[in-house]
Amino acid sequence: MDVNANTTIWPFGILNSHVVYGNACNLRISFFTDNPKITNAILGYLDCRSLRIAENVCLKWKKAIYDEHLWEEVYRRNMQLPDWKKLEQVLKLRNPDLFLFPSELEINHYKEACCHIEDTIKKLERNWARGIYTSSNYPIELTPPKKRTNEHIYFSMNESLIVSVSPTGRISTRNRWAPEEEHIAHLLPNKNIPIDNFDLHPMIESVQFNGDTFAAVGLVGTRKILFLFNATGHSEPLLLRCSAWRGIENTAADSLYNFNQKNCIRLKDDVLVLCGKKQADSSTVVSVMNTRTKQSLYQNLEIPSRVGQLSDFTLDHWRIILFFGRKENPRLKQVDRYLLQIRDLASFTLLKSFVLPVTRSRVCHFDYSNGFAVTGSDDSPIRIWNVANGTCDGDFSHGGGSLFALKIIADRLIITSDYQGIIKLWNLKAATDLATRNNPSSLLLRTLDSPPSPYTKFRKVKTLALQADEFQVALILQHDAKPPQLYLVDFLANVLNDGELEKKTRQVRKRRQL
C-alpha cells in the first residue's frame, strides 16, 4: 500500500499521510450512491488534503464530505501517528482556543483541527526550505555576577517548557511559547528531601524531565543525591515535590563512585539511566531505575576501564548507547580512539561494539536517533553510523573551524553549531544516499547566521548550549563576560510574502557583510 504521490510530504516525515488508494480527482460521481455508508467507505480512503480538494468538485461531493463521522475518523486516524500527535500538542500550547471541542457542530472542530494541522505542515515545510523564521533573545540572569564568565549552563526542553540549571544550582523554567519571563522553580517542603535545614538549597548540577517527572542530580552539603520530583500543577513558578531520592556519592569521604559529570542522567518515558565512574579503577558504572514504580532494574553494573572513559550516552525504548573515548597517554588532551557500545536496556547485555575512525581529537560530539548515530569533531568529518550493523553509511565535512554541537532532528536533519553561534542544516537522507552523499550542494540545506547581539560592543562570542527540534532551535550565547542570552529561532513563524522575504534576505546579506 503506497502513499499517493500528490500527498504533501513534510520534510520530517509523513505526518499528514494515511494510506491513499487514489486521487480525489479520479473518483467518479457514479461512485456516490444514496447509501451514506458506501459513500463514507469510499471517502474514508482519502487523507485530509485529498478531502479538501474533493469538496470543491461539486455540491454533491461537498455535501457528502460534510459528514461528522468522516472527519472524526480522519482526525482520530491521524492522531495515531506520533508526529501528528506531537504537532497537535504544540499547536494547543501555542493557542489553546484552536482545539476546543464545542458542544454543537462537532464536525467543525474535527475539520478545522485537521485543516489547521495540514496548513501548519505546509508552513513548516516552506519555512525550513526557504529559511523563514523569527528570532528573539532573552537574558539569563545569574547571581552572583562573578558566576557569569564561561560557566556551563545546562538546559533542556520539551513541547511546553525550557528548563535550565544555572551555575548557582537553581532550576529555572520558561514557557516555551511565551518565554519572556523566567521563573525559579520552588522545591516544596517535604520530609522525603534529606535536608535538615530547608534553607539550604540543593546545588542542582543536571536535570532531565519527561512530562511532570523531573530527575535531577544535586549536591546537598557533602552528599550528591539523585532526586525525583513531581511537578504539581502548571503554575508559574513551577512547584516541585520530591517523590524519591537516593544518595550516590559523599564528597567528604572516600566514595566508591564518582558522578562529576554535568550530564550523568538520561530520562526517557519511565526509564532513568545514571552513569558514573568507579574510583578504584576508573571503570564506568551504570544504573537503571523505573521512575513510575521507583524500583531499580539494576545498580552499578561495571564496564571495564580498558574500553575507555565515558564521553556521552543516550537511550531509546530498549537500548542504551554508550560513547567512549580512550587515551593512550593520560597526559595528553587528545583522545586516541573512540568506541560505540550498544547494550540491551533490560539486561545490560552487550549487543554491538565497534571502534570509530576518529583519532587524536580533543572532543568528539555525538548524537543518536532511531538506529543512527552521528559523530563529528573539529579535525574529523561528520559521520553517520548504522547502529544495527556497525557500518558508516555516510560522511561529510562540516566546513572546517570549531564544532560545538550537533543534533539529529526528526530523523531527517542534522544541525551543527560552531562556537560563534552559526548554525548549519544538513540533509541526513542525502548524506546516506550513494547517489548524493558526494555532492556538497545536496547536503547543506541552509546556513543560519549568528543571532544579532543585544550589545553594541563586544570582542568575543561563545556558545554555551544548544537544543533543537522540528519547531525551534534554542541557543545560549555569551558575549565577553556579559550575562548569557537565550536565543530562540522559531520555524512556526508566519509565512512571509515575497516582498517581506526579499527584505529579510537583504538584511541577512547586509549583516554578513558587516
Side-chain angles (χ1 to χ4, degrees), residues 6 43 67 88 100 103 126 152 181 185 194 217 220 233 240 262 284 306 391 393 403 451-452 466 483 489 510:
N6 293 327
L43 295 173
D67 182 86
E88 188 210 28
L100 293 177
S103 57
R126 177 177 175 179
H152 176 80
E181 296 185 5
V217 172
V220 180
L240 300 179
K262 289 291 183 181
T284 301
R306 64 176 180 271
T391 59
D393 287 359
L403 180 66
L466 168 72
V489 178
K510 184 177 180 181

Side-chain angles (χ1 to χ4, degrees), residues 55-180:
E55 68 178 357
N56 295 323
V57 173
C58 63
L59 290 176
K60 190 171 184 179
W61 284 31
K62 187 177 183 67
K63 183 179 179 181
I65 292 173
Y66 191 81
D67 182 86
E68 175 183 352
H69 301 290
L70 176 63
W71 282 104
E72 182 180 2
E73 175 61 25
V74 172
Y75 176 81
R76 299 192 185 281
R77 187 175 62 199
N78 284 294
M79 284 302 109
Q80 297 176 4
L81 299 172
D83 292 336
W84 252 71
K85 190 174 182 179
K86 181 178 180 180
L87 183 57
E88 188 210 28
Q89 183 180 0
V90 168
L91 293 176
K92 282 182 178 179
L93 293 169
R94 289 177 67 95
N95 190 353
D97 296 335
L98 291 175
F99 292 89
L100 293 177
F101 281 88
S103 57
E104 299 179 356
L105 296 177
E106 195 167 353
I107 176 180
N108 291 333
H109 166 78
Y110 289 116
K111 182 179 179 181
E112 289 177 6
C114 290
C115 294
H116 188 67
I117 295 176
E118 180 79 19
D119 294 339
T120 305
I121 290 170
K122 294 179 182 178
K123 179 194 294 187
L124 280 169
E125 182 182 23
R126 177 177 175 179
N127 289 357
W128 277 97
R130 302 183 68 175
I132 302 174
Y133 57 88
T134 59
S135 60
S136 54
N137 62 286
Y138 308 96
I140 299 177
E141 295 298 333
L142 303 179
T143 54
K146 64 180 181 180
K147 289 283 187 181
R148 292 175 178 173
T149 307
N150 297 325
E151 288 283 355
H152 176 80
I153 297 178
Y154 178 78
F155 84 113
S156 182
M157 64 183 185
N158 64 2
E159 288 79 9
S160 59
L161 289 176
I162 297 176
V163 176
S164 60
V165 179
S166 68
T168 58
R170 297 278 184 170
I171 301 175
S172 62
T173 63
R174 290 178 186 267
N175 185 337
R176 185 174 169 181
W177 310 110
E180 292 79 10

